[in-house]
Amino acid sequence: MALPDITLQLAGESGEGVISGGDILTAGAARAGYWGLTFRTYPAEIKGGPCMFQLRIGADRIRSIGNETGLLVCFNQEGFDLQHGTVGPEGIVIADAESCKVTDEFAGRSFEVAFSQIAEEAGGSRRGKNMVIVGMTCGLLDVDTEQIENLILKRYAHKGDVGESNIASLRAGVIHARENLPDVCNIQHPKEPERERILLSGNQAIVAGALHAGLTYYAGYPITPASDILESLAARLPRMNGVAIQTEDEIAALASVLGASFTGAKAMTATSGPGLSLMAELIGLAGTAEIPSVIIDAQRAGPSTGMPTKTEQSDLNQAVYGSHGEAPRVVIAPTTVDDCLVCTVDAFNAAETYQVPVILLSDQSLSHRLETVDRPDLSTIAVENRVTPNGSAGDQRYQRYELTESGVSPMAIPGAPGAYVSTGIEHDELGHPGYTPELHIAMQDKRFKKLDPLRETGRVTVSGPEQARVGILGWGSTEGAAVEAAEMLRERGVSAATFYPRILAPLPIRRIQDWAEGMETIFVPEVNYTGQFARILRADCGIEVVAQSQITGYPFTAADIADFIAERVPSPATATA
């Protein structure tokens, strides 16, 4: 019987074309009509070191990286040694005949192929090894390579006859698979799509969301895994009459963003954990001076330089609390690639509406993963702008920090009526310095209470029944694995539900408490060591939760979550036995 989906892995050395081959294979599968979701790990060094590209494809939408590998293709021995433990009991291994020996446990389900020799004979270069592997995989999946050949020609158009050589290697791989390998990738054929689909990475979706929201100024400093955003906007924004610059460091990046926003521009920067640390003082300035700003934090494994090319969700405390004094901010966490687009618009809308810094928490796995998504209908994603003075004050002097009922004060733009002093020092309604207890209390109350509406209006996604034995309450990119884990638990007879808020500060406390009332036990899966969100939930919502932490540098699989829960909440059948 055909499988609903399959997880493929390409494993080898950086520089062998593992990642580029995986990208091309993913694009080919998407154009053939499959849903797909990828994950990659690569070394932090410029050259050399092990890397792996993982692709899960299927006839229906894919939500997580998959529980076990169905087909592992090893470029070398290290690729096999590092990845063969993920291969499932029915999984297949295909290894390079010249550099890899497969262990006996895969007897009868492993095949050796001379990738480089096939590439040299077909395309005249052993460097086409990865194209042989892509072609062979297409042959096993019965994917038409015409679209892939067009991609290859476009990708290597600037490298002379490399494109034609790669296509020859690709075709040789297809032929080899069909003539020499068994039918080991029997998955369901894709369905006719109801809507147009596109293939996006998380960082690409953030760029699209920022441009839709009206971004006109971007400043950033290169840092993995956020650098794609800088590179993309440097190419696109000037063509749209915007400005994108690379600054000398992250401090300068956010400082210039605040300056641009002060003059009326919608402005953004992107970084990772170490860069967010450098920005801490300016986040306080943005909160106190009430300057809209958007900061993308693509989290990676830390602390310090840590594992910069691996994933982790360990900047939550820094994003929510990182400050001298107490500075207001909004923290938003997208859960999927298409959610990255919507949440980026949400971030700009919140920044402009409430005149506050907004931190969007992505992570390495979400930033770089490619995912097939329905083409978003941008006409349905509303864009909001900041409130500016309308002249109703007449001859009364403009009060930038007027104490209004909502806490939001109209923000004048330089050059238009309404001059004022913008400062991080405590100030009165005009912006003049003031240090009385009454003034500090009034201004801190204004800056924090204006965010209260977000506790009720922020988006959440809920799956499963309203009352269940197991509730999974999480944040960010773990949602897909959590939803699949809940489905696995229900199949085992354990009722399970999920709840994922997008806004983590200010936290939607009442909505979380209402949902939690229907759950017997609540689990919080997080890719960090200390269970940061679990601690926030206990402190702010007063609910007891069970933290599940993982710091392998890899995202959760659905089985990781389901098995952890099953050990603590046995199914009815297990309990009876």
Side-chain angles (χ1 to χ4, degrees):
M1 188 175 72
L3 299 172
D5 62 75
I6 188 171
T7 298
L8 316 170
Q9 277 191 3
L10 309 181
E13 186 82 359
S14 176
E16 285 190 296
V18 174
I19 301 299
S20 60
D23 282 339
I24 290 173
L25 179 61
T26 302
R31 294 190 181 198
Y34 286 107
W35 293 90
L37 186 150
T38 73
F39 171 68
R40 63 189 66 187
T41 107
Y42 47 93
E45 295 77 13
I46 299 299
K47 187 176 182 180
C51 61
M52 182 275 286
F53 188 96
Q54 182 165 320
L55 165 64
R56 184 183 178 198
I57 63 171
D60 295 307
R61 176 148 190 183
I62 303 297
R63 294 184 175 277
S64 72
I65 61 173
N67 296 316
E68 56 190 25
T69 302
L71 173 61
L72 170 64
V73 184
C74 304
F75 284 57
N76 57 26
Q77 188 66 46
E78 189 177 33
F80 174 79
D81 293 343
L82 290 174
Q83 299 301 331
H84 74 273
T86 68
V87 179
E90 305 297 326
I92 302 298
V93 176
I94 298 178
D96 185 1
E98 299 178 5
S99 62
C100 184
K101 289 296 180 185
V102 178
T103 53
D104 292 341
E105 64 184 295
F106 293 98
R109 52 191 181 108
S110 63
F111 306 90
E112 294 184 353
V113 179
F115 301 131
S116 299
Q117 180 182 337
I118 294 173
E120 187 171 25
E121 292 174 355
S125 172
R126 295 171 68 87
R127 293 179 62 83
K129 173 180 177 176
N130 65 332
M131 290 298 110
V132 172
I133 290 170
V134 171
M136 186 189 65
T137 309
C138 288
L140 292 172
L141 293 171
D142 196 24
V143 170
D144 186 1
T145 60
E146 181 179 352
Q147 296 284 357
I148 293 180
E149 291 179 13
N150 292 333
L151 288 172
I152 291 173
L153 286 176
K154 184 177 180 181
R155 186 167 186 148
Y156 297 100
H158 63 293
K159 291 190 174 181
D161 59 357
V162 172
E164 293 295 342
S165 173
N166 280 336
I167 288 174
S169 297
L170 177 87
R171 291 173 179 171
V174 174
I175 293 170
H176 184 87
R178 289 175 177 167
E179 294 182 349
N180 299 282
L181 298 177
D183 183 14
V184 294
C185 294
N186 183 26
I187 65 171
Q188 296 174 7
H189 288 292
K191 303 169 185 174
E192 188 68 26
E194 297 178 359
R195 293 175 54 186
E196 183 183 2
R197 297 178 198 154
I198 56 176
L199 191 63
L200 277 180
S201 72
N203 280 348
Q204 289 171 335
I206 286 171
V207 168
L211 294 175
H212 176 69
L215 175 76
T216 56
Y217 183 85
Y218 178 88
Y221 183 76
I223 185 170
T224 301
S227 297
D228 299 355
I229 296 172
L230 169 61
E231 293 166 8
S232 179
L233 287 172
R236 297 168 185 271
L237 207 49
R239 298 202 301 265
M240 303 172 72
N241 295 321
V243 173
I245 64 169
Q246 178 181 326
T247 53
E248 66 267 35
D249 57 32
E250 289 87 348
I251 300 173
L254 183 54
S256 69
V257 162
L258 298 186
S261 179
F262 171 76
T263 66
K266 289 190 176 181
M268 181 179 89
T269 184
T271 187
S272 191
L276 187 66
S277 299
L278 293 176
M279 295 176 180
E281 182 173 356
L282 288 156
I283 292 172
L285 170 61
T288 302
E290 303 191 48
I291 301 176
S293 45
V294 173
I295 304 161
I296 309 297
D297 177 17
Q299 301 167 95
R300 64 189 200 182
S304 188
T305 307
M307 302 193 296
T309 57
K310 301 297 183 285
T311 199
E312 209 163 84
Q313 293 180 303
S314 49
D315 291 345
L316 179 61
N317 282 342
Q318 183 177 210
V320 173
Y321 302 118
S323 174
H324 49 280
E326 296 168 303
R329 81 282 307 274
V330 175
V331 179
I332 298 176
T335 61
T336 63
V337 165
D338 43 0
D339 206 34
C340 282
L341 190 157
V342 177
C343 282
T344 302
V345 180
D346 287 347
F348 275 94
N349 287 346
E352 296 293 321
T353 300
Y354 302 103
Q355 300 167 22
V356 68
V358 179
I359 301 170
L360 186 142
L361 285 176
S362 177
D363 59 56
Q364 184 271 336
S365 68
L366 185 55
S367 294
H368 286 164
R369 88 183 188 201
L370 291 167
E371 192 174 332
T372 314
V373 300
D374 288 323
R375 180 179 286 281
D377 182 359
L378 295 179
S379 67
T380 65
I381 305 175
V383 173
E384 297 171 10
N385 299 305
R386 70 187 68 171
V387 176
T388 55
N390 57 14
S392 60
D395 295 334
Q396 184 180 347
R397 189 172 180 185
Y398 171 62
Q399 298 185 93
R400 165 68 183 98
Y401 300 107
E402 181 182 1
L403 295 173
T404 64
E405 185 174 349
S406 68
V408 177
S409 314
M411 182 176 181
I413 306 300
Y420 69 97
V421 176
S422 178
T423 176
I425 202 167
E426 191 55 281
H427 47 256
D428 63 15
E429 292 175 87
L430 291 168
H432 296 161
Y435 317 113
T436 65
E438 294 78 11
L439 183 60
H440 186 50
I441 292 170
M443 284 298 167
Q444 279 289 67
D445 185 53
K446 161 186 164 53
R447 291 189 285 261
F448 277 93
K449 82 172 185 181
K450 66 183 178 183
L451 301 180
D452 284 345
L454 288 171
R455 297 183 188 277
E456 303 297 330
T457 57
R459 292 181 300 107
V460 303
T461 50
V462 182
S463 75
E466 293 183 358
Q467 295 189 333
R469 289 186 66 193
V470 168
I472 306 175
L473 173 53
W475 64 282
S477 63
T478 64
E479 186 188 35
V483 170
E484 287 190 0
E487 292 170 354
M488 293 172 68
L489 290 166
R490 290 195 289 270
E491 290 172 358
R492 300 175 188 178
V494 178
S495 59
T498 65
F499 186 100
Y500 270 72
R502 299 304 189 277
I503 296 181
L504 307 181
L507 197 64
I509 294 173
R510 184 191 60 78
R511 300 171 77 182
I512 290 174
Q513 290 172 332
D514 289 347
W515 175 83
E517 284 183 357
M519 305 298 136
E520 289 185 20
T521 307
I522 297 173
F523 292 85
V524 183
E526 295 179 80
V527 190
N528 60 50
Y529 186 73
T530 58
Q532 296 178 23
F533 192 46
R535 292 186 178 192
I536 291 174
L537 290 168
R538 294 188 190 105
D540 289 3
C541 301
I543 60 175
E544 189 48 52
V545 301
V546 179
Q548 180 186 4
S549 297
Q550 173 175 291
I551 54 165
T552 59
Y554 285 67
F556 278 111
T557 67
D560 289 336
I561 298 173
D563 291 346
F564 178 88
I565 294 172
E567 290 177 3
R568 292 153 180 81
V569 182
S571 67
T574 304
T576 301

